[in-house]
Amino acid sequence: MLVRFFKPSWQHSKSDKRIKAIAKLRDTDPQSQTILSQLALEDNDELVRLAAIEKLNSLSLLIKISKKTTSDTIQQQSLHRISQLILGSSPDCSLDEKLSALKTITECNFLTHIALNSSNEQIREQAIQQLNDDYSLSVIAEKSQRAADRIQATQRISSEEALNKICKTSRNKDKGVFKAARDKLQTIEDEKAEAQRIQASIEQLIHNTEQLSHQAFFPLFTPKLCSLIKEYETLSEHTSIEQNARFKTHQQQCEAILAAEEARIKQLEAEEALKQEKVNQSHHLYSELCVLKESTENILDESSLAEVENQLHNIGKQWEELKSFSSEQELQSFNKIRSQLGNLIACYTIYNKASEQIEKFLSSLTDENIKPVTLNKQAKQARQLLNRLSWPTQHEKPTKLHQLETALAAAQTKIDRKDHQQTQLHNELKTLLDNLTESIQQGEIRNADKYIKKVEQINKRLNGNLPADLAHRTKILSAELQEMRDWQAYAVQPKKENLCQEMETLSKSNLTVQERANEVRRIQKEWKLLDATDSVHSQQLWKRFKKASDDAYAPCDQHFSEQKELRITNLKQRELICKKLDKLTPPEGDCAEEWKLYEDQIRQAKQDWRTYSPVDRAPGKKLQATLDQILSGCEEALKNFRAGNIIKKQSLIDETTRLLNSNNFAEATDTVKSLQQQWKTIGPAPRNQERKLWNQFRENCSQIFEAFYEGKQPNAASNSIQPLLDDACQQLKDMISSGCSVKSLEAAIDQAQSLITELESQNSLVPAFNQETVQSATDALQQLQEELQTFETEPYIALERKARICDQLEHAILDQCAIEQLQSIQQAWEQETTSEHPMHPMSHEIAERFTTLLTIAKNPDVLESILSDQEQKLRKICIRLEIASSQPSPLCDQALRMEYQMERLQQALAEQKQAFNLSEIKQLEHEWLCIPFAAHIEEFNDRFESKLEHIF
């Protein structure tokens, strides 16, 4: 009861009491805010709710009230209170809450009021952004105190009238607003232009569709219509109802054209299907004919033959109706098969009629006792029958035909063999008669007797059936032979007696052993010639000649026995030389003295070899080949040593070249002297390189010495040159006594002579000791040069000559020269191969190259495959050369190089200890000469030559 009497004023039943109570509530009191929230949401009196809303501080609650209320007054009051809170600075409302609440306001007046009066930039920007009313935006653009807000408001105005007004009012007053208004106007004009363009595009699409609807169908009709429809749909948001109706009409007309075209295509497809059915029927008929042909591959009896003939007739009749639907190729094939079957039927018909005749032929052709004339006649008739049949090769022949062909072949072989034997005997008889004629003319009775016996044997084999001309010749020659026999006996006897007397006289002569032996052989040869023509052989005269021959040759036996012993001794000595050379091993180091001793031993072995001569031909030739092989290995080691000396001497030349640019020639001179000493310790280079290297080294040294002497005073130079000359002469003396290479000796002589010339130019006396030493050295040099001339590498020269012949043949093949030139090249090769000179180890390979080129010359078609094979060989040689010379290979060949190095691991490890393997490099150079067309494969030839240039 008391509660009812003491209710709070805001719960009073009278609205004016509640309004007054609301006025007394404090805004900052949370409990008051709760009461106000309840009143604003639940109170029945609108004025009470308005009073409560006026004092609410909760933006979320105010937003809720503005959205749920149905009263415009309440809604407007809520929005008004929201605007107040947004513009206010109450700490209860955060900026995010204000921005969120601002989004709920859509009334232009509230938004304009907030945009003009808010102190927060974000709130102003959002309020302007939410405004869509041009008038409100114009008010902000004119009255806002902030330039950014004025520009933002101007940019959101869409009315041209409002923008023009702003341009007028802001000209020369507010540049930012004026520019924004002008830019907005320009944007509007651009949008209008774009709208006009879009409308023009729409009209053009409608026009194009209308034109398309008036055209007949063409291949691109459907794609073009689809393209027009797709373009129109992209512009559908800009089209009017009237435009849509027009476009739809034209589209339907185009679709009608497409439908008509589809109907036409279906009709054509139906016609094509009918045609295809006819084509299939023709294919089926053709297949039946092929099956019929296959059925005739086996032998046919009479009933099968009649059935095949009937089927062929029916198929041909049906084909006449369908042949217009078949292809040209199928038509030709059908006619061909039908013709073949017709021919086969005709052959069977002829065969069946001639079966009895075939039996007769088989009986007569296989008869062993038939006469040759009858056999020829029967074979001719059988051959005519087979030709008339002309049995198709793709069909099996009847057994009787096979038997007839076999019998005919056997009979023909028998006839041919007999004719061939008779012809051979006739030819052989002609040859014998020719030889008999020649023997009679030359008086060779013994040969004539042999020939006449053979003539009689052939005559017997021919049963006396000789051609008339041969029979006549045989008769005449037999008579001539008999007449010659009668006269020969009287002529030979005196000549034999003279030979006996000559041989008896020879046994008492004082001729040398060789002359006596030659005379004995001459007289014995004459005796044999006479005895061959003598028809009467006297044993007494022969014994006399034999005794005289033995007496005359007796002194020669002892001499030739001694010569035989000498050849055996020489052969044994040569065997010892080979064994000694085979045990000889090259020096392991680079000591010039050791290599000189090694070379002297080889030279001495060659001289000893020439001393132990003669030897028997057969074992001597074999032993010569063994020596050549051993010497090849020894000279290869020398060659490698000399090649290494080239590199060392070239390094000394490079050092002297560098010293030519020195400013201190006194120090350079000392260095040059040291380099000259090093030059002396280096062994010789190959002869074709040694002179060139020495001249270059000597020239550089001379220039350095001259530059040094030109910078000295005469007296001082004389005092300093003499010790240098003494040292040079002492060096020469040591070199002569201990032995040295030609190049090092030549360098020392040039140095000493240069010093002597310098002393003489200063009027100084040159000691006799020095002059004698230089002269002795000069004589020793000349002797060494003469010894060097005895060394020739003939096998390598011969290999290069053969390679040049192969090059000529390659050019002849590529130029397609005449056969005469190829024959000339082949003759040059034969002359080279038959010449007597030592064989090169690669003689077999160069011969294979020439043989391969001859094969290409006879059959140029194999050139492509052979070149492909040679490329692989050349690539491998290039890789081996690059490995041996420590040069890099191209990236594409790195894998092959690694594979080859793995195969020759031991050699690769050895090559790590030396810069170059010159022995293998020279071997590769010779292998290169043995590859066909190596010079014409530019990729590998340039690669190989460039690598060699870096080496040599």
Side-chain angles (χ1 to χ4, degrees), residues 350-529:
I350 296 172
Y351 169 74
N352 291 333
K353 292 179 180 179
S355 57
E356 294 181 0
Q357 188 179 6
I358 292 173
E359 290 287 349
K360 292 180 181 179
F361 285 144
L362 287 173
S363 176
S364 60
L365 291 176
T366 55
D367 187 2
E368 294 294 336
N369 299 321
I370 189 172
K371 294 182 180 180
V373 177
T374 306
L375 181 63
N376 281 331
K377 183 177 179 180
Q378 292 291 316
K380 183 177 180 181
Q381 292 176 356
R383 198 177 297 108
Q384 289 175 350
L385 175 61
L386 290 176
N387 291 337
R388 187 156 56 91
L389 280 172
S390 184
W391 199 273
T393 56
Q394 64 271 24
H395 293 280
E396 184 179 355
K397 296 180 180 178
T399 306
K400 289 184 179 180
L401 276 184
H402 277 298
Q403 293 174 351
L404 180 60
E405 288 178 347
T406 304
L408 182 60
Q412 188 63 44
T413 301
K414 188 176 180 181
I415 294 169
D416 292 343
R417 183 169 60 249
K418 188 170 183 179
D419 291 344
H420 179 69
Q421 290 175 353
Q422 191 172 6
T423 302
Q424 277 186 331
L425 290 174
H426 287 169
N427 293 334
E428 186 177 353
L429 181 59
K430 289 179 182 179
T431 304
L432 289 172
L433 291 176
D434 292 338
N435 294 335
L436 178 58
T437 302
E438 184 178 357
S439 298
I440 292 173
Q441 291 174 354
Q442 295 180 0
E444 298 175 352
I445 294 180
R446 179 171 293 183
N447 292 337
D449 288 338
K450 293 179 181 178
Y451 292 138
I452 198 64
K453 288 179 181 178
K454 292 181 180 179
V455 168
E456 291 172 353
Q457 291 174 358
I458 292 175
N459 190 16
K460 187 176 180 181
R461 290 174 63 185
L462 292 172
N463 298 321
N465 296 324
L466 294 179
D469 57 335
L470 295 180
H472 180 66
R473 284 188 67 189
T474 303
K475 184 177 180 181
I476 292 175
L477 291 173
S478 298
E480 291 179 357
L481 177 60
Q482 185 59 41
E483 183 180 359
M484 189 177 69
R485 285 172 181 165
D486 296 337
W487 286 101
Q488 187 70 31
Y490 296 102
V492 173
Q493 192 71 15
K495 293 181 180 179
K496 286 187 174 182
E497 290 179 354
N498 291 335
L499 290 178
C500 289
Q501 292 176 4
E502 188 176 356
M503 186 66 79
E504 290 169 351
T505 304
L506 181 61
S507 62
K508 301 175 182 179
S509 66
N510 296 325
L511 296 176
T512 62
V513 174
Q514 189 61 47
E515 291 174 347
R516 181 185 290 267
N518 293 338
E519 285 297 313
V520 169
R521 283 193 290 269
R522 180 186 63 79
I523 297 172
Q524 287 176 342
K525 184 176 181 181
E526 291 182 9
W527 178 275
K528 289 180 181 179
L529 292 174

Side-chain angles (χ1 to χ4, degrees), residues 16 56 222 229 233 281 340 353 380 429-430 469 568 641 689 762 784 810 867 876 892 918 945:
D16 55 343
L56 279 174
T222 302
I229 294 173
E233 288 176 352
Q281 290 177 3
Q340 291 173 351
K353 292 179 180 179
K380 183 177 180 181
L429 181 59
K430 289 179 182 179
D469 57 335
I568 293 173
F641 171 67
Q689 297 285 332
Q762 297 174 5
L784 286 174
E810 288 176 358
L867 284 179
K876 190 170 183 179
C892 59
L918 293 179
E945 293 295 337

Side-chain angles (χ1 to χ4, degrees), residues 205 222-232:
L205 287 173
T222 302
K224 189 171 183 180
L225 178 61
C226 293
S227 175
L228 291 172
I229 294 173
K230 186 175 181 180
E231 289 183 30
Y232 190 83

Side-chain angles (χ1 to χ4, degrees), residues 849-862:
R849 175 186 176 186
F850 189 80
T851 304
T852 302
L853 295 176
L854 288 179
T855 303
I856 297 173
K858 295 177 182 177
N859 184 16
D861 295 337
V862 303

